[in-house]
Structure formats: structure tokens, C-alpha cells
Amino acid sequence: MKDITKRARSLGRAALRPWRWYVSQYKGHPWWRRALTAALTTVVAVPLLCVAIQLNFLWLFGKSPSLAEIRNPRTMQASEIYSADGTLLGKFFTQNRSPVSYEEVNPVFWKALVSVEDERFYSHHGVDLQGIAAAAKDAFKGEARGASTITQQLVKNMFRMRTDYSSGLLGRIPGMRMAVTKAKEMILAVELEMTCSKKDILRMYANTVDFGSNAFGIKTAAKTYFNTTPARLKPEEAAVLVGMLKATTTYNPRINPRNALARRNLVLDRMYQHGHLTEAEAEALKQRPIELHFSVENAYDGQALYFRDAVADYIREHCPELDPYSDGLKIYTTLDSRMQRYAEEAVAEQMRTLQKTFDAHWRGLGEPWRDERGNIIPGFIEKIARRSDYYRQLTAKFPEQPDSVDHYMNLPHKVHLFDYDGGHDEIISTMDSIRYMVRFLHTGFVAMEPQTGHVKAWVGDVDFKTWKYDKVRAMRQPGSTFKLFVYATAMKQGLTPSDTRKDGYIEMKVYDKRKQEEVVWRPHNANGNYSNALLPLRSAFSQSVNTIAVTLGQECGIDNVVETARDMGIRSPLEATPSLPLGSSDVNLLELVNAYATVAADGEYTEPVLVTRIEDARGRTVYEARPERRKALPYVSAFYMQKMLEAATADAGATAQSLRAQIYMGPWARTIDMGGKTGTSNNHSDAWFVGVTPALVGGAWVGGEYRSIHFRTGRLGQGSKTALPIFGLFMHKVLSDPAFRKYLLRYQPKQDIPASSYSSTLYLAEPVDSFAADSAGIGAEGLMDEAGAPPGAGEADATLSEEENLLE
């Protein structure tokens, strides 16, 4: 033990020997030698300290950015979304920043920046020792000021040293955290100067700095404050922007115009002092007022807002490693901005008219939220109100005080309400605003190319600012549009459109999930009658005869129908019940239109494509669309379904004859093959139409936000009256545009198929030109309207009360 103690003391003395020698260099020596020793000590110690900080020696200093991170700094950048025809649709961003090159900025901005923020920028190497000394001198006088160079500010902005990186064990000592952080910033500034040119540093600084008002970087700032580009900035505008860098709120020209003017003039004086302006120029510019053209760009500026939300989800699914809100991507989509405009116009025209019809239809009859027996649903508005954010805020503020909550929910205040003339302000209560808003009908529309899967137009509802929930992706009962899969299954199993089935009485026992017992189901046609006639399948499909659809479903096998729907593109859960052929399981519009596109593509399924290519911030392609393609239907089956969809628009008694009206596709009836299918769910809650041509397929859904809000009669609420006009108006606009003549196509048969297997004596060879806008299709679908989910079919059928379903 004594030996160990002795050895330890010996080692201690040996360890202290260098320190004793170093101290001896100061004792008994002249002043010049002591000064030389101190200088040499500094020369050796500073590099060692820098290395220790970079290596986080003994965890004393915390982590620092690596050299690779310094050479390739990552900043949050806005991503740009482009249409297929090259139009900028909008941006994704958290911080609205779009980088520019040094040459894309007016040199006057760089001169103003250096004159004010770092006058010795071109002579120092990241740290301005002269500036530090001057700042220390001023601090000693009680006049504190900063001494950070532009390079140091860039390090602080780019690497967020004070938030994203720790300051190690030393940072826990009071007063040491700031010292360690400052030391890191200085070291990184020097490293940045060693690896980047002065121009690169200025460029990175201008692209990363915050100019306030959600304007990050010089490009966004120039547009936000002066509606110009960095290249076109005037000297006085550049001075305003540079002046804001000291304090973006205090010197913001919109919030504090007097402060901004004084600061701008100070910047102009500095530019004069550094020889960038003459005295006369500076004085003349100082006399000018600040002329703002202020407009803050937000994430919802631009076009095709519902589509852009879908694109963000598409990127998350296909490229989970990318962040469209910060990666500075260029996203090239399939959408055509011209077709999008036509779709939005078609939706606006039809929905404005339809809303007037709906309001007149219910005028004087009380509230439109009714159950399946036509009775007003008690507590309907209150249930909606209890789901609102405002109600939750009130209940949190007034717990166990329902009277206070009710008081504020019914307290009139200024509310902006939607209407088809741009909206209006009104003094009403929250409860009354809910009563007003739920009366509006809603819609979704999407169009795509069947061969490529490219989505060309996407309208998620009547107004994105008011209703952000996208109806293209909403789940609703498809009604008779689902019959496509029943008949396609029948064609796969060897039947033809000319084969016949009886339209007659049917009854069967089915299990009712609500009642939890077997019940007798008697499906019937919309008019409640049966013809007891043998009808060709072509006629049964075109007239949307429910009894034959149910019969075919049983004959082909419901599981086989489900399999066909899956193969053709339906991804939503489908309940294999006898009522499935009548559309009792919810689907969304996008997958339904995609499935119909499979028929137009001769049985070839292609998944929907929203994005064709993505480039990263450096212009490298990081994603190219390679959609799934596979054979879903034999060609003959697809051919027969093309003929049956065509029959639904052309045969006597067909439900979609109005598509051939002159206001829709009538003018091109002899130059394009067209088909389609209407659908209307129970109580007319959901109205559908999917239109099919060889090169373009589109579909529309129309209904209330809640299923209990609908027309009272099929004459007004059926798909041919509500949804079909949207597709018809859209196609009329598209085909009238010479740029889209490529869509005027006919199917090209791939093999000889006997006409007797699909033709009908009821086929109308001539286009239907005599339909008027307000009466088209009433007779056809009024005779054989689509019934929605029949009794006994399960959770999605009509036996479920509207009260139970009203908030689904």
C-alpha cells in the first residue's frame, strides 16, 4: 500500500512539472520575454481549443456540425408544384423560402447589405477582430452593440447553434453557455470562409435570413413587400429590406412605417459613406416614401388546392423519405391547369343552379335534415355543434357549466358565410351559422386518362376556403354505379350484353346486422314495379334495373363480384352481401373513376398517377412515376362493358341519355365514343355519374355534407340531374378547346366480335340533340331510377336510421 501511495505521488509531481516550467517562464524574466511567452501560448492554445471544441473533448463543449454539413448546409426551402402544362400551381412550405443565385440579385442589395451589416466583410476571414475590439470598447463605455460578421450570422441562421446543438458540460455552468456557443459560431465562420467564396456566403445568407411576415430569403421578401424579383429591386427597396434585418418587427414597413423609413435612410447614408451612392443620389432617395406592394404568400395561394393536398399525401406514400414542406423540391404533376379551370367552371355552374333548386325545393317545408321516414331529426344541429372546435374550447373554459356554453354558442357575432357570389358577413350565432352552412350541397369531380392513369382535373368541393374536406376521397355509397362490377363479372363468366334475364319479383333471407336477425329482403326497382319481361343485359344495365343486377350478383357469386371490383381498382372494404350489386358498400370517387378507366383501357388497370417526376433542390431527379399496370379484364369483357356504357347514354329508356344533349357532348356524338353510368343511393343522399370516353374518363358525386340532407324526390336528386351535368359541361369545355382535340377518339377494336352479341334494336344511331338543359334525362331515369342500399343488407344499408348515420 505504501508503494502504491509513493508511486501516485511521484506521478503527480511528474504531471505538474510542465506547468511549473511554464510558470517559471514568467518569474524573474524581463517584460518582453513574458509577453513573448503569452503570445506563443495564445498561438498554441487557440488551435488546440478549436480542435477540442470540434471534437467535443470530454463532452465539455457539445456537438458541432461536421465539415460535410458545413459544405452542404441544409435549409428549409419551399417546394414548387407544377402542372403538366408548365403552370406553377402553388407551393408547399413551413418557411416560405425559395433560393436564388448570386447573379439573380441586383448588386445594389449586396452593397447595402455589406455597408450596414459587415463593412469589413471582404477583408476578414469570418471573424472581425477589429469589430470585436471596437464592440468591447463600446461595451466598456456602456454602449453595447454586436460585432457578428455576416458569416457568423449565416452560421447562426443556418445551423441554429443556440437551439439545435448542445453546449456540453461547460454549458451548464452559469454564463458559460453563451461563451461556448459564440466560440462555436466563430470557429464555424472561419471554416465556412475557408470552404466557400465570399459570393457563396452572401448568397447563402440572403437565402436563409428571415425578413418577417413569413418571408424567408430575398426572393420571397422581394415579392412579399414590393411584388418584384431580387433582380429588379430598386436601391430604396433594397435599403428597406436590409434595414429590417436588425429587427424584423421594429423596422417592418407595414407594421412600423416610421421606424422603417428612418432605418431605410440610415442604410442609404451608409451606402453613400462607402461610395455606393453619390450624396445627391442618397438625398434624392431619402426623400421618397416607401411604396409597398405588400402581399403575404401563404400555403393556400395558387390553384387546384384539393389536388395539392392529395399530392402531399401521394408523396408521403410513394416517397416517405422526402418532405415537400422543407426539401425545396420541384414537383411535376399530371394535372392540366386548363382542364382544371374547365372542371372548376363546370362545378361552379352546376352547383350554383343546383343549390337554387334545392333551396326552392325545401322552401316553406322546414329543415331539410330528415330521417328515412321524412321526419326532422331531433338534435341534429346540436350534435354537429358539439363536434366543433369552438364548442370544445367553451367546455374547457366553462367545465360543468352547460348554460354558459349554450349562451356563447347562441351569442350573435360577426361571421363570414359562404355563398356563390363570393361570401358575405353577417351578425349571427354559431348555432345559426351551422344551420346555414349544412344546407349547402357538395360535390367532387375528378378526370383522368385511362391509358396512363394521369389525373388531369380534380375538384374536391365547391369552395376550399370554406370546406377543406376533399369529396373526391370521401367515402359514400355508390348506388348503381357499382353495377359495373356485377356486369363485368357476368361478362367474364361468359355472358354477353344480348343475353336476357327476367325483371321480376325477388325475395331472399338476409342477415340484418342492426336487428341481429334474419329478415326477408325484397329488392325492387326505383318505381316499385316489375316488368316481368325478359330484358337483354344491355337494356337492364342502361335502364339500371335493380332486380336483374341482384339476380346477376347471386348468379355470378358476390365474392366474384368483389374480386372483379378489386381487380379493376376498388380499394375500399366491400361487404359481400346480396345488396352489394346496388352499391351498399362505401367507395370514394377517385377509385370508382379509376375502375371505370379500366374498361376504357380495354381491361388494363393502371393505378392513378398524380406526380410524374420530382427533383430535389439540386435539380437531381429523386422520383419518377412507375405506376402499377396489370390486366384486370379480358379484352372481350372490357369490349362488352364499353358497349353497355355506351348504351346507357344512347338506348331508349337509358338513364344517361342527356349526356348526348347539345349543351354537353352532343356536338361530338359522331366523332367520339362516349358512355357512362348514373348512380343514386337510398333517399337520394348520394348522386353519381361516371362518364367514359376512349382517352378521358371523369366522374362526379353530389350530395349533402351529411347523408340526411338530400332532395325529397328522385326526379330532382337522381345522378342524371345532379352529377351528370358536371361531367357534361366539363367535356363540352374540353372538346371545344382546340388544344384537346386528341381526346376526340373512338375505340379501336382488337378482335372481331359478332355484333349480335352486344347490339340492340333499341340502340339510337343518331345523336340526341333535342334535350333541354332543365329537362334532360327526367323521363329516362325517372322510369328506372337507382335505389340505394335495400333493407336487410347490413350496416351500410337503408335499415340503418338516418339518426344513427347522420354524423358519419
Side-chain angles (χ1 to χ4, degrees):
M1 187 66 182
K2 290 182 179 180
D3 290 342
I4 294 175
T5 304
K6 187 176 180 180
R7 185 174 297 177
R9 289 175 179 173
S10 176
L11 290 173
R13 285 193 295 271
L16 290 173
R17 195 172 296 129
W19 173 252
R20 289 171 179 166
W21 174 84
Y22 176 74
V23 171
S24 70
Q25 301 304 306
Y26 289 91
K27 294 180 178 180
H29 293 288
W31 69 267
W32 60 267
R33 183 167 177 175
R34 293 197 301 271
L36 180 62
T37 301
L40 290 173
T41 301
T42 302
V43 170
V44 174
V46 168
L48 289 176
L49 177 63
C50 292
V51 171
I53 290 174
Q54 285 294 83
L55 296 177
N56 190 18
F57 181 68
L58 296 178
W59 299 280
L60 292 173
F61 306 99
K63 183 182 176 183
S64 298
S66 67
L67 188 59
E69 290 173 319
I70 296 170
R71 288 176 175 173
N72 301 288
R74 184 183 184 279
T75 58
M76 298 182 72
Q77 298 179 18
S79 296
E80 297 177 338
I81 311 127
Y82 291 92
S83 68
D85 56 317
T87 300
L88 177 63
L89 298 175
K91 298 178 180 179
F92 293 130
F93 58 81
T94 301
Q95 294 181 354
N96 188 9
R97 178 187 290 112
S98 297
V100 293
S101 66
Y102 181 89
E103 290 73 18
E104 290 179 284
V105 181
N106 190 332
V108 72
F109 175 81
W110 304 127
K111 294 172 182 177
L113 178 65
V114 172
S115 296
V116 175
E117 292 295 318
D118 190 354
E119 60 185 359
R120 284 177 289 277
F121 174 73
Y122 291 104
S123 60
H124 66 63
H125 298 287
V127 178
D128 184 5
L129 298 179
Q130 183 179 340
I132 292 174
K137 180 181 177 181
D138 289 344
F140 184 75
K141 295 178 180 180
E143 301 174 358
R145 66 179 178 89
S148 293
T149 64
I150 286 176
T151 314
Q152 286 176 264
Q153 293 178 48
L154 173 60
V155 167
K156 184 172 66 175
N157 294 337
M158 200 159 50
F159 298 109
R160 295 185 289 276
M161 296 299 304
R162 302 179 187 188
T163 57
D164 290 4
Y165 293 90
S166 69
S167 51
L169 296 175
L170 288 178
R172 300 181 181 181
I173 301 174
M176 287 298 294
R177 179 180 179 83
M178 183 57 68
V180 171
T181 301
K182 274 290 185 182
K184 285 185 178 182
E185 289 177 359
M186 289 181 179
I187 294 168
L188 285 173
V190 173
E191 290 181 352
L192 203 59
E193 291 268 357
M194 293 171 62
T195 57
C196 299
S197 68
K198 291 289 186 179
K199 285 185 177 181
D200 285 339
I201 291 171
L202 288 176
R203 172 185 57 79
M204 288 188 287
Y205 179 84
N207 283 329
T208 56
V209 71
D210 179 7
F211 288 91
S213 300
N214 198 33
F216 293 85
I218 184 62
K219 182 177 180 179
T220 307
K223 187 176 188 303
T224 298
Y225 292 100
F226 301 109
N227 194 29
T228 188
T229 64
R232 295 181 178 178
L233 279 173
K234 300 173 184 177
E236 64 272 26
E237 293 171 342
V240 171
L241 296 179
V242 169
M244 275 195 292
L245 297 178
K246 183 175 182 179
T248 56
T249 300
T250 303
Y251 299 110
N252 189 300
R254 184 168 178 266
I255 302 172
N256 295 300
R258 290 186 180 179
N259 292 349
L261 183 64
R263 181 68 179 169
R264 181 204 68 176
N265 292 343
L266 174 64
V267 174
L268 292 172
D269 284 336
R270 292 285 181 86
M271 293 177 70
Y272 158 64
Q273 293 168 10
H274 288 84
H276 301 309
L277 293 174
T278 66
E279 184 177 6
E281 288 172 335
E283 289 302 319
L285 292 174
K286 286 164 64 176
Q287 298 306 312
R288 297 181 183 179
I290 297 177
E291 296 181 1
L292 282 183
H293 298 280
F294 186 80
S295 176
V296 176
E297 186 177 17
N298 65 61
Y300 289 136
D301 286 344
Q303 307 174 43
L305 298 173
Y306 291 104
F307 175 75
R308 280 157 49 186
D309 272 1
V311 165
D313 291 338
Y314 185 93
I315 293 173
R316 291 187 192 100
E317 178 182 351
H318 290 80
C319 313
E321 71 281 4
L322 299 179
D323 184 355
Y325 292 91
S326 64
D327 286 351
L329 309 172
K330 280 188 168 51
I331 303 162
Y332 299 95
T333 71
T334 60
L335 194 89
D336 188 288
S337 65
R338 298 159 296 179
M339 296 173 73
Q340 177 68 17
R341 184 175 72 253
Y342 295 149
E344 291 174 359
E345 289 173 356
V347 164
E349 290 174 31
Q350 169 63 2
M351 295 307 293
R352 175 189 287 267
T353 300
L354 197 61
Q355 190 64 47
K356 290 179 180 177
T357 303
F358 184 80
D359 292 342
H361 179 66
W362 280 100
R363 190 171 294 125
L365 298 176
E367 312 296 3
W369 38 90
R370 307 294 179 104
D371 61 23
E372 72 276 8
R373 294 175 293 276
N375 300 319
I376 295 176
I377 300 172
F380 178 80
I381 297 298
E382 288 73 14
K383 287 182 181 180
I384 297 174
R386 284 196 290 272
R387 297 174 60 187
S388 68
D389 290 338
Y390 185 52
Y391 181 87
R392 283 192 284 266
Q393 292 170 10
L394 289 175
T395 54
K397 186 176 181 179
F398 302 107
E400 308 299 329
Q401 299 180 51
D403 290 343
S404 297
V405 174
D406 289 343
H407 168 74
Y408 284 101
M409 291 295 289
N410 288 280
L411 184 66
H413 60 283
K414 188 177 180 180
V415 180
H416 186 76
L417 300 172
F418 170 80
D419 62 41
Y420 280 95
D421 295 314
H424 66 280
D425 293 331
E426 195 170 323
I427 305 298
I428 60 174
S429 70
T430 298
M431 297 300 293
D432 286 338
S433 70
I434 295 173
R435 292 185 182 94
Y436 172 85
M437 296 299 287
V438 298
R439 294 172 180 268
F440 280 94
L441 294 176
H442 298 265
T443 189
F445 176 82
V446 67
M448 64 193 306
E449 294 177 344
Q451 284 74 26
T452 63
H454 288 187
V455 172
K456 309 307 291 183
W458 182 306
V459 184
D461 207 340
V462 294
D463 182 64
F464 183 84
K465 292 181 180 178
T466 308
W467 295 285
K468 290 182 172 58
Y469 181 53
D470 188 352
K471 307 309 186 294
V472 171
R473 297 187 283 176
M475 304 298 292
R476 302 296 286 246
Q477 288 185 343
S480 289
T481 57
F482 198 86
K483 291 174 183 174
L484 178 84
F485 308 111
V486 181
Y487 283 83
T489 305
M491 300 302 107
K492 283 168 59 178
Q493 294 185 5
L495 297 181
T496 72
S498 295
D499 289 323
T500 60
R501 291 295 182 272
K502 184 179 180 180
D503 169 28
Y505 173 85
I506 308 172
E507 74 171 29
M508 63 182 73
K509 288 186 176 182
V510 297
Y511 184 75
D512 188 323
K513 285 190 174 182
R514 184 174 66 89
K515 296 180 179 179
Q516 295 187 345
E517 63 181 12
E518 279 195 342
V519 298
V520 175
W521 177 41
R522 301 177 181 87
H524 56 77
N525 297 318
N527 59 4
N529 299 323
Y530 313 97
S531 67
N532 288 317
L534 286 174
L535 296 179
L537 297 185
R538 174 189 177 114
S539 298
F541 182 82
S542 67
Q543 296 176 23
S544 204
V545 179
N546 291 333
T547 56
I548 292 180
V550 173
T551 299
L552 278 180
Q554 294 298 304
E555 181 179 328
C556 298
I558 296 298
D559 289 336
N560 293 327
V561 173
V562 171
E563 181 182 356
T564 299
R566 290 268 177 267
D567 290 342
M568 294 175 67
I570 299 298
R571 294 289 173 265
S572 299
L574 298 174
E575 192 171 0
T577 63
S579 65
L580 183 66
L582 303 186
S584 58
S585 288
D586 286 2
V587 300
N588 67 58
L589 181 60
L590 178 62
E591 62 185 349
L592 189 64
V593 170
N594 186 213
Y596 272 70
T598 299
V599 172
D602 297 329
E604 190 82 16
Y605 166 79
T606 303
E607 68 172 320
V609 179
L610 278 65
V611 176
T612 56
R613 189 174 86 259
I614 299 176
E615 293 178 358
D616 65 13
R618 298 185 179 183
R620 300 175 300 185
T621 299
V622 292
Y623 170 78
E624 280 188 296
R626 293 181 177 84
E628 175 193 358
R629 288 189 173 91
R630 51 180 166 74
K631 197 67 176 176
L633 288 177
Y635 171 72
V636 174
S637 301
F639 174 84
Y640 283 149
M641 293 312 301
Q642 291 168 4
K643 291 300 180 182
M644 292 216 279
L645 287 167
E646 183 180 283
T649 69
D651 284 10
T655 60
Q657 286 186 47
S658 57
L659 184 62
R660 294 176 179 262
Q662 288 297 307
I663 59 169
Y664 302 143
M665 296 184 67
W668 301 276
R670 292 185 177 89
T671 55
I672 186 173
D673 286 331
M674 69 181 82
K677 186 72 186 77
T678 57
T680 312
S681 68
N682 204 52
N683 288 334
H684 328 296
S685 295
D686 304 285
W688 303 74
F689 179 75
V690 183
V692 177
T693 72
L696 194 62
V697 177
W701 166 87
V702 174
E705 187 170 5
Y706 302 97
R707 300 187 196 209
S708 56
I709 297 176
H710 48 73
F711 284 101
R712 303 190 311 276
T713 66
R715 187 182 70 85
L716 295 176
Q718 61 196 11
S720 66
K721 290 291 293 179
T722 56
L724 183 150
I726 295 176
F727 177 79
L729 290 169
F730 168 75
M731 289 301 295
H732 190 97
K733 295 172 186 290
V734 169
L735 298 179
S736 297
D737 189 335
F740 299 117
R741 294 296 184 188
K742 65 180 182 179
Y743 292 123
L744 283 170
L745 295 177
R746 291 190 177 277
Y747 293 113
Q748 300 299 316
K750 294 182 178 179
Q751 64 185 77
D752 292 331
I753 299 174
S756 60
S757 65
Y758 59 82
S759 63
S760 170
T761 57
L762 298 177
Y763 182 73
L764 299 179
E766 297 298 319
V768 180
D769 294 343
S770 59
F771 285 94
D774 60 347
S775 63
I778 291 177
E781 194 163 299
L783 175 65
M784 287 291 185
D785 194 6
E786 291 84 18
E795 290 182 346
D797 63 28
T799 61
L800 213 63
S801 72
E802 291 288 345
E803 289 178 305
E804 293 170 325
N805 268 334
L806 77 97
L807 294 180
E808 287 186 353

